[in-house]
Amino acid sequence: MEVPVSPTSAPRALRDVVFVDGVRTPFGKAGEKGIHAGTRADDLVVKCVRELLRRNPSLPPERIDDVAIAATTQTGDQGMTIGRTAALLAGLPRSVPGFAIDRMCAGAMTAVTTTAGGIAFGAYDVVVAGGVEHMGNHPMGQGADPNPRFASERLVDPAALNMGNTAENLHDRFPAITKERADAYAAASQAKLAAAYQDGKIQPDLVPVTGRKPGEGWSLHSADEPPRPGTTREDLAGLRTPFRAHGRVTAGNAAGLNDGATASLLASAEAAAELGLPVKMRLVSYAFAGVEPEVMGIGPVPATEKALKMAGLDIADIGLLEINEAFAVQVLSFLDHYGIADDDPRVNRYGGAIAVGHPLAASGVRLMTQLARQFEDDPTVRYGLTTMCIGLGMGGTVIWENPRHADYSGRSPQGVAATAAVPAAASAGEDHA
């Protein structure tokens, strides 16, 4: 007897998900002297959402189906279901919902992958996904209460609760990654970011932010605060090792404590074509993986293995790599695993978090925005990836395809040429609050 199949039983074809645009605020140093000291976290997100709409005028705000914003410390001005509050504060129609996400450093990355799944399935056409971290207002771990079973039952090494200690552990596991090598990598990151600024590669995606400090009045911030151009290996050699006596991790070869926000527009390929939105990248695959929490920095390796397998690709197929530089040793352990040289030109062409900063949950979209800009610069590269380690022993990786490549496999590359016509807010020196 033949069993009838209802229409809902038929397999649903997944849709292509494309990265339309990404922006971020300048990243600031956390603390009372930082550029964002007097600015609320939710207002930083609002700046980014409004800028996305300004840059993409063909998108009716009511066509945004959801707003996913990540924050690691979800309290105060980073609480209140920040995706929804940011949507309301940005002036989106009240019909546009929103939600909050926490996957520590991979918050914005998870905001992208989570909403991308909804787009692929057909639940969404267009979404905003991003993240924010105001580490000046909310220091890492503020209000956290780790379960005592972690220690009493030896479920997690106590070192896993301090990111600097996990980086020292990674040095222990891979003794070939010396402090000298980490310092050399860090100095190179500073030099690459300085060159990218000189060539105008960073500024087009920065949203100028006004800030006010007591006794100083208002000022406009249109550049990142953490970079130290001209840093040399010799400058870094004498820095103290705060996590371990005679250790290898310093403030110079690790990302700092930072404030900042990011936001991106994702869409189905069909919606992008319908609305005349640019297509900067196509999502190919993504994966998250867990590792021992005490060596969380190795997390990008198994995550990348999973993402490559799902995409049917090999690391040799990846022409550009954006690896979050939480610590130099974490990046170097990834490169060593794949036999990639420390100075391989495919890696972090515009510099990384050691130079530009790492406002935790915001950083995932910063990686994607920089990769999209590099795709525009180099149409000979077909595939790129964004990857990062995550606290408590995880890693996340997203693989993207360049729509400018001759063999682009996406079904709807319309709008590619439109990106060149978008004016840069930073170059215009405008504040779009």
Side-chain angles (χ1 to χ4, degrees), residues 17-249:
V17 180
V18 297
F19 185 94
V20 171
D21 202 1
V23 298
R24 65 178 179 88
T25 67
F27 289 170
K29 296 179 181 179
E32 61 183 13
K33 296 182 179 180
I35 60 175
H36 299 316
T39 305
R40 291 175 57 98
D42 46 16
D43 285 335
L44 293 176
V45 179
V46 168
K47 296 277 187 179
C48 293
V49 174
R50 288 180 174 177
E51 178 63 9
L52 285 174
L53 291 172
R54 188 196 73 83
R55 287 162 54 118
N56 297 277
S58 67
L59 173 63
E62 63 272 16
R63 288 296 302 271
I64 297 173
D65 294 305
D66 217 337
V67 178
I69 301 297
T72 302
T73 306
Q74 295 193 9
T75 187
D77 55 345
Q78 292 181 178
M80 289 285 293
T81 311
I82 193 167
R84 172 60 171 170
T85 57
L88 292 171
L89 291 166
L92 296 182
R94 295 192 176 189
S95 58
V96 178
F99 62 104
I101 282 181
D102 172 23
R103 203 199 290 263
M104 294 192 173
C105 297
M109 176 178 282
T110 305
V112 167
T113 57
T114 298
T115 53
I119 293 171
F121 186 73
Y124 303 141
D125 284 330
V126 182
V127 299
V128 172
V132 64
E133 210 73 51
H134 200 306
M135 300 180 76
N137 289 352
H138 308 290
M140 190 187 322
Q142 180 187 57
D145 181 20
N147 195 300
R149 291 180 54 227
F150 280 159
S152 64
E153 299 181 21
R154 298 184 179 181
L155 299 176
V156 174
D157 189 308
L161 302 180
N162 181 297
M163 299 300 100
N165 287 339
T166 68
E168 289 284 7
N169 290 343
L170 207 56
H171 273 290
D172 291 342
R173 179 168 290 195
F174 302 108
I177 306 177
T178 62
K179 180 180 182 300
E180 292 72 23
R181 189 175 160 199
D183 286 347
Y185 179 87
S189 180
Q190 295 280 0
K192 287 190 285 187
L193 178 66
Y197 257 102
Q198 181 67 33
D199 294 340
K201 303 300 184 183
I202 304 297
Q203 298 91 325
D205 300 315
L206 292 181
V207 183
V209 175
T210 53
R212 184 179 184 182
K213 297 181 183 179
E216 297 184 18
W218 292 92
S219 56
L220 179 67
H221 306 290
S222 57
D224 295 303
E225 187 178 22
R228 294 180 178 273
T231 297
T232 66
R233 294 172 59 180
E234 292 72 25
D235 295 330
L236 302 177
L239 296 180
R240 68 185 187 94
T241 57
F243 305 107
R244 183 186 298 179
H246 309 294
R248 291 138 298 190
V249 179

Side-chain angles (χ1 to χ4, degrees), residues 313-327:
L313 300 173
D314 185 84
I315 194 66
D317 297 313
I318 306 300
L320 288 167
L321 300 94
E322 277 293 314
I323 308 171
N324 192 48
E325 297 171 355
F327 302 94

Side-chain angles (χ1 to χ4, degrees), residues 241-329:
T241 57
F243 305 107
R244 183 186 298 179
H246 309 294
R248 291 138 298 190
V249 179
T250 72
N253 59 34
L257 305 179
N258 304 110
D259 306 330
T262 60
S264 64
L265 274 177
L266 306 173
S268 69
E270 294 83 357
E274 173 199 347
L275 297 170
L277 297 172
V279 174
K280 295 187 175 182
M281 304 190 291
R282 182 182 75 89
L283 195 153
V284 177
S285 69
Y286 68 85
F288 294 90
V291 297
E292 304 98 315
E294 61 269 22
V295 285
M296 64 98 187
I298 200 65
V301 170
T304 298
E305 295 287 351
K306 288 176 67 175
L308 286 170
K309 183 176 181 180
M310 286 189 288
L313 300 173
D314 185 84
I315 194 66
D317 297 313
I318 306 300
L320 288 167
L321 300 94
E322 277 293 314
I323 308 171
N324 192 48
E325 297 171 355
F327 302 94
V329 63

